[in-house]
């Protein structure tokens, strides 16, 4: 009912090997196998706690826990409970991280992908022996979305999902350490639990202009991340150790229909819970809830020419000084913007106040000398409810600046722009906006402008014989796609 390391490593039909490492195997030091394995290999870690600073630079590999027989969970099998701590004593005690990724293109850490494709083009199904079958994505789990759409009541009950639904745990052990350090990483961490021992230390640091690390359905909880500089083995220091720190690249923090990512129940230092000082990170289906950031200007803090895009995120019950989302945009003129699409901001609080005693920035606060310039912050189909204890907003933020808001109102969005922010398809006050997937494809509208006309015919003509704009999704550009445009010609998309 479980995987057993015999032989070890086990050869696979595609020419790769599966290594069984860790406790009770002949490879107790996991880094030794990471150094010896070939690209495309799978590394399976047996249950236990490991004090190593792992370094992954390999491409196409899979690092996952051993699969065990099912327990009370209604699933085919469960992952072994594996915890990685960064060392504080010994030969690599000053590395400052539990795992580091440099490069690692197409490498998965945590739950594996269903298909493995090697650099030579060979593609194979992932197999897990205890299933007696090919591995199915998420083990066909039936897990409700963690949407945080029910308002303030969810804040005190943010679940700790490890173990069971998640795979590896990565933990830091001092205020100048982090759990995951990605320097120009290009791999994926899937369903990992990220925390710190006794609350001290940071979670994730992403650096480097080419950083494209993906964190999928990961949970970041229960950290006291002060923002102290990361201490490295050579005596140098790195970025601040926050729950999430991004200084460059385009890392992505993503949830799924089965399990949203979470940043919840953390305490931050003056750099906030999520600190973005460079790059353009993306957040999609992330719950940011119940974080205490009393010394920080914001729970999510952006500075300089950094930008972020957040979609389908639930931001609830956070406490900070000036704005739940805080951006110091001094010297910035665009055209890039910080943007929010279909996000819910519920029951967040800020400690600042104006001369009249108003609390501001329950959703966002932008600081900078750009008074009267076009706004660089955008909201589309977002919701603001009960921020700063005000159940109903008295106005839509896109039509008022900070100086002309109604007397006695509580300003959810405070910026020096005019209008204070861009509002897209709609801004709702009161009722929570459902965060669901919407099929936006309109047959015949090839350029996405909402109108089917000669411009769409021109697009089709330009790509005939290529792999683009397959209107009927048949895998081939042909006359059927052209007929699809003609059938809808003259129509208007609703």
């Amino acid at each position: 009912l479980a995987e057993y390391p015999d032989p070890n490593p086990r050869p696979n039909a595609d020419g790769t090997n599966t290594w069984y490492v860790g406790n009770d195997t002949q490879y107790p030091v996991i880094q030794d196998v990471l150094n010896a394995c070939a690209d495309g290999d799978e590394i399976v870690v047996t249950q236990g706690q490991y004090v190593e600073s792992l370094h992954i630079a390999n491409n196409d590999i899979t690092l996952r826990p051993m699969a065990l027989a099912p327990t009370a969970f209604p699933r085919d099998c469960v992952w072994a409970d594996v915890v990685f701590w960064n060392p504080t004593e010994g030969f690599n005690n000053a590395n400052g991280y539990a795992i580091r990724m440099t490069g690692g293109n197409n490498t998965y850490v945590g739950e594996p992908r269903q298909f493995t494709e090697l650099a030579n083009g060979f593609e194979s199904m992932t197999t897990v022996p205890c299933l007696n079958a090919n591995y199915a994505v998420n083990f066909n789990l039936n897990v409700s979305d963690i949407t945080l759409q029910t308002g303030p009541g969810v804040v005190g009950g943010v679940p700790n999902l490890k173990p069971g639904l998640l795979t590896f745990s990565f933990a830091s052990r001092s205020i100048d350490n982090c759990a995951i350090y990605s320097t120009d990483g290009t791999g994926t961490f899937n369903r990992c639990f990220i925390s710190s021992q006794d609350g001290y230390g940071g979670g994730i640091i992403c650096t480097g202009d080419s950083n494209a690390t993906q964190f999928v359905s990961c949970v970041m909880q229960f950290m006291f991340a002060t923002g102290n500089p990361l201490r490295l083995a050579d005596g140098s220091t790195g970025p601040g150790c926050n729950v999430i720190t991004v200084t460059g690249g385009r890392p992505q923090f993503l949830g799924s229909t089965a399990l949203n990512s979470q940043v919840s129940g953390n305490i931050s230092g003056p750099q906030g819970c999520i600190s973005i000082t460079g790059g353009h990170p993306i957040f999609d289906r992330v719950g940011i809830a119940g974080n205490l950031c009393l010394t920080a200007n914001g729970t999510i803090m952006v500075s300089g020419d950094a930008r972020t895009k957040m979609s389908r995120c639930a931001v609830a019950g956070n406490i900070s000084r000036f704005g739940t989302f805080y951006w110091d945009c001094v010297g910035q003129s665009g055209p890039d913007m910080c943007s929010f699409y279909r996000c819910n901001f519920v029951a967040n609080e800020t400690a600042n106040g104006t001369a009249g005693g108003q609390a501001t920035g329950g959703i966002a606060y932008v600081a900078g000398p750009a008074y009267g310039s076009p706004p660089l912050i955008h909201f589309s189909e977002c919701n603001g409810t009960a921020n700063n204890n005000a159940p109903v907003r008295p106005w839509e933020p896109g039509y008022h600046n900070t100086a002309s808001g109604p007397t006695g109102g509580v300003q959810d969005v405070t910026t020096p722009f005019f209008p204070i922010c861009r509002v897209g398809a709609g801004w709702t006050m009161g009722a929570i906006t459902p965060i669901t997937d919407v099929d936006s494809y309109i047959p015949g509208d090839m350029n996405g402008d909402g109108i089917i006309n000669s411009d769409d015919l021109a697009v089709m003509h330009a790509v005939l014989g290529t792999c683009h704009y397959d209107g009927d999704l048949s895998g081939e550009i042909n006359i059927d796609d052209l007929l699809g445009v003609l059938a809808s010609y003259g129509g208007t998309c609703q």
Side-chain angles (χ1 to χ4, degrees):
L1 296 177
E3 299 179 80
Y4 292 96
D6 184 22
N8 195 5
R10 184 190 70 206
N12 300 316
D14 58 6
T16 64
N17 292 296
T18 297
W19 302 72
Y20 294 87
V21 304
N23 298 332
D24 302 319
T25 73
Q26 61 266 54
Y27 304 111
V29 181
I30 301 169
Q31 187 64 53
D32 289 347
V33 176
L34 288 172
N35 295 338
C37 72
D39 288 353
D41 284 359
E42 180 183 36
I43 301 171
V44 180
V45 185
T46 59
Q47 186 159 311
Q49 299 189 23
Y50 299 90
V51 184
E52 287 192 56
S53 283
L54 300 180
H55 181 198
I56 293 183
N58 320 58
N59 295 325
D60 301 309
I61 71 166
T62 298
L63 177 67
R64 67 167 176 87
M66 179 176 283
L68 303 176
T71 56
F73 254 74
R75 58 193 295 185
D76 296 313
C77 63
V78 297
W79 298 120
D81 194 9
V82 178
V83 182
F84 292 104
W85 308 96
N86 74 276
T88 58
E89 301 290 342
F91 64 94
N92 60 354
N93 66 300
N95 283 347
Y97 50 83
I99 187 170
R100 181 180 185 182
M101 179 177 286
T102 55
N105 185 52
N106 201 36
T107 284
Y108 266 62
V109 178
E111 186 166 279
R113 75 213 98 178
Q114 187 171 13
F115 293 92
T116 299
E117 184 177 3
L118 303 180
N120 62 7
F122 189 94
E123 186 177 281
S124 63
M125 287 283 292
T126 299
T127 59
V128 177
C130 94
L131 295 175
N132 296 315
N134 290 326
Y135 168 72
V137 173
N138 297 335
F139 290 114
N140 296 317
L141 288 176
N142 183 17
V143 183
S144 298
D145 276 358
I146 304 171
T147 59
L148 302 179
Q149 293 180 19
T150 56
V154 301
V155 175
V158 175
N160 180 356
L161 299 179
K162 176 68 183 172
L165 293 177
L166 303 178
T167 57
F168 291 131
S169 290
F170 295 101
S172 56
R173 296 205 290 172
S174 69
I175 59 175
D176 51 7
N177 294 163
C178 68
I180 298 175
Y181 186 34
S182 173
T183 53
D184 289 311
T186 54
T188 298
F189 290 84
N190 193 7
R191 287 180 176 258
C192 294
F193 181 75
I194 300 154
S195 190
S196 56
Q197 184 182 39
D198 298 326
Y200 288 97
I204 296 171
I205 296 178
C206 292
T207 67
D209 292 339
S210 61
N211 197 307
T213 315
Q214 289 189 330
F215 298 88
V216 180
S217 296
C218 291
V219 174
M220 291 144 273
Q221 283 186 333
F222 313 138
M223 284 174 258
F224 180 29
T226 60
N228 282 42
L230 176 69
R231 176 171 54 90
L232 299 170
D234 60 3
S236 63
T237 57
C241 295
N242 303 291
V243 176
I244 296 176
T245 300
V246 178
T247 68
R250 294 180 178 271
Q252 299 180 44
F253 302 85
L254 311 171
S256 67
T257 56
L259 180 65
N260 284 357
S261 288
Q262 286 190 55
V263 180
S264 55
N266 302 288
I267 300 175
S268 84
Q271 297 175 29
C273 185
I274 299 174
S275 173
I276 304 168
T277 60
H280 293 69
I282 293 173
F283 297 80
D284 180 64
R285 286 187 179 274
V286 180
I288 304 170
N291 299 290
L292 187 62
C293 309
L294 293 177
T295 63
N297 288 339
T299 300
I300 307 160
M301 292 185 60
V302 178
S303 62
D305 60 356
R307 299 290 192 273
T308 185
K309 298 184 184 300
M310 303 185 73
S311 61
R312 299 181 295 182
C313 292
V315 186
N318 302 285
I319 301 176
S320 53
R321 292 184 62 201
F322 285 94
T324 303
F325 175 83
Y326 180 90
W327 181 19
D328 185 351
C329 71
V330 173
Q332 301 307 305
S333 59
D336 289 338
M337 295 181 288
C338 291
S339 63
F340 301 86
Y341 171 66
R342 302 182 69 212
C343 294
N344 288 329
F345 294 85
V346 182
N348 300 289
E349 295 183 24
T350 56
N352 76 92
T354 64
Q358 291 180 329
T360 61
I363 292 175
Y365 188 104
V366 178
Y371 288 96
S373 64
L376 300 180
I377 185 169
H378 176 264
F379 296 89
S380 181
E381 298 184 45
C382 292
N383 162 268
T385 300
N387 296 292
N388 283 322
N389 296 313
V392 179
R393 297 283 74 77
W395 73 89
E396 292 189 4
Y399 300 104
H400 298 267
N401 62 18
T402 54
S404 61
T407 302
V410 179
Q411 294 171 305
D412 270 353
V413 180
T414 303
T415 82
F417 301 124
F418 185 85
I420 65 172
C421 66
R422 297 181 189 268
V423 177
W427 181 283
T428 60
M429 298 297 174
I432 301 297
T433 302
I435 301 177
T436 55
D437 293 315
V438 177
D439 184 4
S440 59
Y441 171 68
I442 304 297
D445 184 16
M446 295 291 107
N447 59 6
D449 63 357
I451 302 174
I452 301 171
N453 55 19
S454 59
D455 292 337
D456 299 296
L457 285 173
V459 171
M460 285 295 302
H461 178 74
V463 298
L464 283 174
T466 72
C467 297
H468 301 288
Y469 296 102
D470 179 13
D472 59 5
L473 305 179
S474 67
E476 182 180 3
I477 305 296
N478 54 27
I479 189 64
D480 292 331
D481 300 300
L482 182 58
L483 291 175
V485 177
L486 292 173
S488 303
Y489 187 79
T492 300
C493 304
Q494 300 298 323

